[in-house]
Amino acid sequence: MTDFLSALNPEQRIAVEHTEGPLLILAGAGSGKTRVIAHRIAYLIAEKGVAPWNILAVTFTNKAAQEMRQRVQRLLRDQELSSAPLVSTFHSLCVRILRQDIEKLNEKYSRTFTIYDQDDSLRLIKNCMKDLGFDEKHLGLRATQSTISSAKNRGEDVEEFTAHAEHVDERRASIALVYETYEERLHANNALDFDDLLIKTVHLLRQVPEVREKYNNKFRYILVDEYQDTNSLQFALISLLTEKQQNIAVVGDEDQSIYKWRGADINNILDFEIHFPKTRTIRLEQNYRSTQTILDVAGAVVKRNIERKGKSLWTSNPRGDLVRYFQALDAESEARFVAAKILEHRDEDYNLRAAVLYRTNSQSRVFEEAMRRAGLPYNIVGGFSFYERMEVRDVIAYLKLALNPNDSIALQRVINSPPRGIGKQTMEEVERRANDYGLSLWETISLVIEQPEKLSMRAVSALRSFRRIILRLAELAGTDLPERAPVGNNTQDTSFRGQEGGPAPAAPSSVSGQRSAVAIPSDIVKAAIFDTGYENTLKSEKTDEAEARLENLQELVNAAVDYDEQGIEGLREFIDHSALVSDADQYKEEAVVTLMTAHSAKGLEFPLVFIVGLEDGLFPHSRSATDAAELEEERRLCYVAMTRAERFLYVTHAMKRRVYGEELASEPSQFLNEMPLDLIEDLTRGNSWLSFARRSSAIDYEHGNRGSSPTVREGASDYASDRSGYRKERKKFEGKTYDSVHSIAEFFKQRAAQLGNTGGSFQSTREREERNKSARGQARSQADQLRRSASSARNDNPSDSRGPSSPLPVTPSPGGSADFVPGSYVKHAQYGRGLVLRREGVGDSLKLTVTFPGYGQKKLIQKYAGLEKA
DNA sequence: TAAAGAAAGTTTTTT
DNA sequence: ACTTTCTTTA
């Protein structure tokens, strides 16, 4: 028999052996937590004789669940098992429970409920807003969705939210109305959104003792991964499930909490010992993944967080190489650099897996192109997942309709795709009458065919053919449908589903009178592609794009084959799966290069990691800039990204970047400044932000120098020798020099002060005044200035490089002289001719950001820099 | 009604 | 830059 303990270190062993009672495992990055969970499950089964079906392990992503399953399976490959332990995500666990027992909740939901993913939910909210007559722009569609979602996650139902809203403001009151309508319609569609999956499960467990009892008895041992990211609903769910046994083991790391924005409550892990009094706590602090250097650099960054208990992570791994840094000109050259480096590494070790981690999905495109050009096979996680592709969603919508024709969102999606002559006007009429009668769109269509009223014959026959298609699919799926919609009464009986908690739909008088054998899932999927005319329409297009779409649909059929044995329940599972797969699930271990967001990378590891786009406003993201807590979350995210690396870590940033199609200059990320510079190797050719940061310790002064250039002193070029001096020596120049190097420190201090951080603790009064002045100057639209400078830079016409006497047509900054406006050219004794990008402050503290060819961007104090117009 | 062309919004992270 | 949505035209 396998010895499940010998491969573990002492702490890991305790974590595995402590099987009874609450257990909190505080596991640092790379400390082998997945290993511990897998061993624990195997140990419970093999050594403690626990039945597999009494074990539940919960993760956040399907990918993590799958990995866990495989690991357990590998450990137990010698055992004869009657079943496998349940390893599931929170959401699929909820679906599993609800598909069994939701009818016991007595909220008139049937077991055949539909799951609305974010996109479906957004469409529904949109419909609600439209019908309520709210202006989508004014209220903000997405903002409304996220407000409602966070209310739901806080456990605020419509009544509570409305009660709060009435006293706040009009906007919130409007959202309350949308919330109310949204909930009504979800219910009328027999649909649950992602939040509902958790909410309804918690309700069910809370309100129905018999169900709670059942699952308490079933799941005698519960394990939760990434516990720091659980929200209050997930906590409630876990508490309810383990109420009786209290055999609950959770694994987490406060430094890797990156989902606060989604309602994750860090207190769940911090207060675990309070929630579960007899908790045994174990710390796993030995890192097996990364080199000492990578750990040191990552640790130095996350140490800046104040909201942190702090723990020490150590490793017996070698020091390894320095972290490598590269400053790119723009996003394209950044991507080229990354591709070139991956190729280089592959010359050494052909199987070296690499990851490129970015903050936002929009950054992925350039990297995709660069990889393709370099001939590197890559795998992209996120962005457009397979199940998010239009054609796939369309076919899934047909399938959803086959199982539940009252799903109005699915119906709206496909009623006219492929085009079958049911246009906007027709749909508006159908929707109007659906509202009047209080029927679903599907029911209304049946009614409208009988009584067309305003509708043209053409529209009616189009509707009739659509109805036939759905009836046919429903028949294949074995869904019982009433021959006709309940005609005539205009009461609000919108849900023909079971009033008494039963799955309702009518008597077993199916369409054709006799029930045909239910088809297997893949056949129904095929029918949804062929019988709907979808395939023919795509085929007749004869474009490459249509070709690709057809291939995707073929892929969908292939995916469905896996569910064939399970019959109609298989189809339902197939559809559930399509709603619940996440981006991270597309990650394939075999891929040479994986492109993904830092968020998606959580839980993964790679020998070679690139963290790209380390720029102010991007990473950390500008949306986090106003809030110190959010900035700390960004920092944790950066920490997560860095600790993915096993052997080689690269950090890069670009000088400029297109945002919304506009080119903007970018500053290096403050996180770069937080890395120990002596552990970083600069791969930039020529001058970079980093080389200036290093040189600062060797610079005495730089103001007023003309002609001769004493600026860069001895030792400045061999920064290798004074790497460590940077921070310490910087202080002595405070408030004296305003050269470009100083401005870097100044820049970061300002940033810290804006965030209300303690970063500016050693600033002088004078500096504070300076900052206040410059803040006023900054108030002007940065984008506007850049647009101006960009346009004049493009135009090399000498008349555009006018001196102070004829400035560009820009508003002069308040109170300042009109000299050196953004867009004009200046001459610097050392750097030569440069373009003014930005100006801040007035009078003596007038500062200019100037870009000099070959030297990059500099921030200069006009008074000292000795600038001339050029 | 559908296709083509114009305008506007979009990008933080995700189950 | 790119995609969705609105407007015009056939």
Side-chain angles (χ1 to χ4, degrees):
Chain A
M1 185 183 278
T2 324
D3 180 357
F4 297 110
L5 298 175
S6 61
L8 303 173
N9 72 30
E11 290 77 30
Q12 292 175 333
R13 194 172 305 175
I14 299 171
V16 169
E17 284 180 308
H18 181 88
T19 56
E20 311 302 309
L23 176 68
L24 170 62
I25 305 169
L26 296 172
S31 63
K33 68 182 168 69
T34 312
R35 184 188 181 80
V36 166
I37 299 178
H39 276 78
R40 197 178 147 86
I41 295 172
Y43 182 81
L44 280 168
I45 294 171
E47 303 283 334
K48 293 281 173 172
V50 176
W53 58 86
N54 285 142
I55 298 173
L56 167 69
V58 193
T59 62
F60 272 83
T61 65
N62 292 293
K63 166 69 198 154
Q66 195 186 315
E67 156 122 24
M68 193 73 71
R69 249 176 256 133
Q70 278 168 5
R71 288 237 201 164
V72 173
Q73 207 171 34
R74 226 175 298 147
L75 286 170
L76 293 175
R77 61 185 176 275
D78 303 333
Q79 313 267 317
E80 284 287 325
L81 292 184
S82 48
S83 76
L86 181 58
V87 184
S88 163
T89 65
F90 272 103
H91 291 265
S92 18
L93 171 69
C94 290
V95 171
R96 190 179 276 256
I97 293 176
L98 293 175
R99 287 253 182 256
Q100 286 266 314
D101 293 308
I102 194 170
E103 283 157 18
K104 299 200 181 77
L105 185 56
N106 235 350
E107 288 189 19
K108 293 184 189 169
Y109 271 103
S110 94
R111 287 163 46 170
T112 58
F113 64 84
T114 307
I115 299 168
Y116 277 1
D117 66 17
Q118 195 140 9
D119 185 64
D120 298 323
S121 142
L122 196 70
R123 282 161 192 265
L124 184 54
I125 286 174
K126 196 175 175 177
N127 286 346
C128 294
M129 283 168 74
K130 199 176 101 197
D131 293 347
L132 286 167
F134 289 138
D135 180 16
E136 199 179 284
K137 274 159 207 144
H138 184 243
L139 216 52
L141 182 55
R142 291 193 100 89
T144 305
Q145 184 187 35
S146 85
T147 305
I148 291 175
S149 174
S150 39
K152 291 179 87 161
N153 270 302
R154 278 197 308 272
E156 260 177 53
D157 61 19
V158 178
E159 284 76 32
E160 284 173 85
F161 185 83
T162 310
H164 285 256
E166 270 166 3
H167 304 289
V168 186
D169 62 281
E170 202 183 329
R171 188 172 170 276
R172 231 179 148 71
S174 308
I175 293 179
L177 276 174
V178 178
Y179 186 6
E180 188 182 4
T181 317
Y182 173 67
E183 290 287 293
E184 279 168 15
R185 295 202 184 171
L186 276 174
H187 195 263
N189 289 349
N190 196 21
L192 299 176
D193 66 15
F194 281 163
D195 302 323
D196 285 333
L197 293 176
L198 288 163
I199 292 169
K200 299 298 177 196
T201 310
V202 168
H203 282 185
L204 178 66
L205 292 171
R206 215 173 250 158
Q207 287 163 27
V208 190
E210 144 213 355
V211 175
R212 184 165 71 241
E213 178 81 10
K214 170 174 151 191
Y215 288 104
N216 265 272
N217 289 337
K218 180 170 169 57
F219 301 128
R220 290 180 45 214
Y221 293 87
I222 298 177
L223 300 93
V224 185
D225 193 14
E226 307 282 11
Y227 190 69
Q228 76 280 354
D229 286 329
T230 50
N231 65 22
S232 56
L233 283 170
Q234 286 156 337
F235 172 71
L237 177 68
I238 292 298
S239 308
L240 286 162
L241 282 176
T242 193
E243 191 181 61
K244 193 166 160 188
Q245 316 275 359
Q246 301 267 309
N247 288 330
I248 167 90
V250 304
V251 190
D253 178 4
E254 52 167 335
D255 286 336
Q256 296 188 62
S257 159
I258 53 173
Y259 285 106
K260 196 179 164 205
W261 54 275
R262 218 170 81 192
D265 186 353
I266 189 76
N267 291 319
N268 286 346
I269 193 163
L270 299 181
D271 297 342
F272 186 83
E273 285 136 316
I274 301 168
H275 296 141
F276 298 97
K278 284 175 194 153
T279 294
R280 172 86 192 253
T281 303
I282 292 166
R283 289 165 185 278
L284 302 180
E285 294 182 319
Q286 181 175 4
N287 173 294
Y288 294 94
R289 180 186 296 151
S290 312
T291 64
Q292 184 71 57
T293 301
I294 290 169
L295 233 44
D296 286 349
V297 174
V301 172
V302 80
K303 232 197 276 175
R304 305 276 175 137
N305 277 353
I306 295 161
E307 288 292 322
R308 175 170 185 264
K309 281 186 174 171
K311 71 173 152 348
S312 52
L313 208 51
W314 63 279
T315 185
S316 57
N317 289 345
R319 284 221 68 86
D321 291 16
L322 294 177
V323 170
R324 287 147 191 184
Y325 161 95
F326 180 72
Q327 170 177 302
L329 245 66
D330 51 25
E332 285 73 23
S333 80
E334 184 181 44
R336 255 181 280 126
F337 169 81
V338 170
K341 284 296 160 192
I342 293 175
L343 286 174
E344 260 177 51
H345 279 280
R346 267 169 56 93
D347 283 343
E348 304 265 303
D349 176 357
Y350 191 74
N351 292 315
L352 201 73
R353 290 180 309 116
V356 181
L357 308 183
Y358 34 78
R359 179 65 241 268
T360 68
N361 275 309
S362 60
Q363 289 166 260
S364 66
R365 176 170 246 116
V366 271
F367 287 98
E368 251 186 291
E369 277 164 21
M371 296 306 143
R372 217 173 295 153
R373 223 164 305 167
L376 282 164
Y378 64 91
N379 185 277
I380 185 159
V381 173
F384 302 102
S385 98
F386 178 71
Y387 289 103
E388 277 169 304
R389 282 162 216 252
M390 180 182 66
E391 63 278 13
V392 175
R393 292 193 68 105
D394 284 350
V395 171
I396 299 264
Y398 276 114
L399 297 171
K400 281 177 154 182
L401 282 175
L403 294 173
N404 174 14
N406 290 298
D407 181 344
S408 297
I409 292 295
L411 189 139
Q412 277 176 321
R413 180 172 186 102
V414 292
I415 192 159
N416 201 33
S417 54
R420 46 174 76 90
I422 303 174
K424 204 176 153 198
Q425 303 214 321
T426 309
M427 277 316 284
E428 265 169 15
E429 175 64 11
V430 173
E431 279 163 27
R432 191 187 61 74
R433 288 177 64 174
N435 278 340
D436 283 358
Y437 304 142
L439 296 175
S440 73
L441 291 178
W442 170 252
E443 292 161 322
T444 309
I445 286 170
S446 308
L447 184 72
V448 153
I449 289 170
E450 308 275 313
Q451 302 161 24
E453 290 179 24
K454 279 184 227 160
L455 289 167
S456 67
M457 266 314 290
R458 228 173 80 186
V460 170
S461 78
L463 286 171
R464 190 177 290 129
S465 84
F466 174 74
R467 184 168 181 271
R468 251 200 315 274
I469 289 166
I470 299 302
L471 283 174
R472 163 88 188 122
L473 285 174
E475 188 187 354
L476 274 175
T479 308
D480 284 323
L481 296 176
E483 174 73 40
R484 279 185 179 73
V487 183
N489 52 37
N490 56 357
T491 56
Q492 70 291 38
D493 181 24
T494 61
S495 63
F496 73 101
R497 284 157 297 284
Q499 304 289 29
E500 301 304 326
S509 65
S510 89
V511 192
S512 53
Q514 62 178 58
R515 222 190 250 154
S516 46
V518 170
I520 57 174
S522 63
D523 281 344
I524 305 173
V525 175
K526 280 181 204 157
I529 296 170
F530 303 127
D531 300 358
T532 53
Y534 212 97
E535 196 203 24
N536 280 334
T537 311
L538 282 177
K539 270 188 176 158
S540 60
E541 268 184 49
K542 295 202 195 308
T543 61
D544 286 353
E545 202 199 335
E547 196 60 42
R549 292 188 191 283
L550 282 167
E551 275 169 34
N552 286 332
L553 292 180
Q554 185 54 54
E555 201 50 48
L556 189 68
V557 175
N558 293 342
V561 172
D562 294 341
Y563 293 82
D564 277 352
E565 288 138 47
Q566 303 166 63
I568 200 60
E569 278 316 301
L571 181 64
R572 206 181 295 287
E573 262 184 49
F574 177 65
I575 294 168
D576 287 351
H577 172 81
S578 81
L580 294 174
V581 282
S582 73
D583 289 338
D585 302 329
Q586 304 155 48
Y587 163 70
K588 298 196 181 57
E589 210 158 310
E590 322 81 66
V592 179
V593 183
T594 305
L595 312 178
M596 64 185 145
T597 63
H599 280 93
S600 306
K602 194 178 69 166
L604 305 175
E605 56 187 19
F606 302 86
L608 174 57
V609 169
F610 296 82
I611 303 173
V612 301
L614 278 165
E615 288 145 43
D616 182 53
L618 184 61
F619 199 174
H621 198 272
S622 53
R623 298 281 271 258
S624 322
T626 47
D627 184 300
E630 283 182 48
L631 181 71
E632 295 212 343
E633 178 144 314
E634 294 285 308
R635 197 177 276 116
R636 286 192 295 271
L637 181 60
C638 186
Y639 175 76
V640 167
M642 289 189 279
T643 53
R644 297 311 94 198
E646 291 168 10
R647 292 168 57 198
F648 307 105
L649 176 62
Y650 287 78
V651 290
T652 69
H653 67 108
M655 300 286 284
K656 58 181 177 160
R657 184 176 291 280
R658 296 184 104 88
V659 181
Y660 298 141
E662 245 190 328
E663 207 148 76
L664 296 179
S666 23
E667 306 271 7
S669 166
Q670 64 175 298
F671 297 153
L672 283 169
N673 205 37
E674 291 167 2
M675 298 176 190
L677 298 189
D678 53 327
L679 295 179
I680 298 178
E681 182 186 356
D682 192 347
L683 300 186
T684 316
R685 283 198 297 151
N687 287 307
S688 67
W689 165 82
L690 181 62
S691 66
F692 276 100
R694 288 200 218 275
R695 257 188 252 171
S696 74
S697 58
I699 291 175
D700 280 337
Y701 61 89
E702 193 202 311
H703 46 87
N705 58 341
R706 289 162 190 268
S708 68
S709 159
T711 312
V712 178
R713 291 266 159 133
E714 74 293 337
S717 52
D718 68 323
Y719 51 74
S721 63
D722 66 14
R723 276 172 189 155
S724 55
Y726 171 58
R727 273 173 225 291
K728 202 168 47 193
E729 299 219 359
R730 187 180 64 178
K731 259 192 170 168
K732 116 181 167 205
F733 304 112
E734 290 280 316
K736 284 189 202 149
T737 63
Y738 288 92
D739 56 54
S740 59
V741 175
H742 183 90
S743 77
I744 294 163
E746 175 82 355
F747 169 76
F748 286 116
K749 261 189 282 163
Q750 278 188 24
R751 183 78 34 194
Q754 279 166 21
L755 295 165
N757 253 2
T758 53
S761 54
F762 46 76
Q763 85 209 347
S764 67
T765 321
R766 183 174 152 215
E767 280 177 285
R768 209 172 293 135
E769 283 165 9
E770 297 270 331
R771 201 180 47 251
N772 289 342
K773 279 187 213 155
S774 70
R776 251 173 276 139
Q778 275 178 340
R780 281 161 66 225
S781 160
Q782 189 179 326
D784 265 330
Q785 294 181 22
L786 282 159
R787 202 175 304 130
R788 265 177 236 124
S789 61
S791 62
S792 64
R794 235 177 282 122
N795 185 352
D796 228 355
N797 186 330
S799 68
D800 255 21
S801 45
R802 283 169 287 199
S805 52
S806 63
L808 283 170
V810 297
T811 331
S813 56
S817 74
D819 295 2
F820 308 123
V821 293
S824 61
Y825 284 87
V826 294
K827 206 163 102 189
H828 185 272
Q830 192 196 346
Y831 302 127
R833 191 163 175 270
L835 172 68
V836 179
L837 293 179
R838 197 183 309 167
R839 93 187 242 148
E840 301 163 51
V842 290
D844 284 357
S845 61
L846 174 62
K847 295 185 198 112
L848 300 170
T849 306
V850 185
T851 174
F852 296 98
Y855 294 92
Q857 242 179 66
K858 306 277 172 262
K859 206 173 202 174
L860 307 162
I861 289 283
Q862 186 252 336
K863 187 179 166 191
Y864 301 119
L867 293 171
E868 290 172 31
K869 57 178 180 173

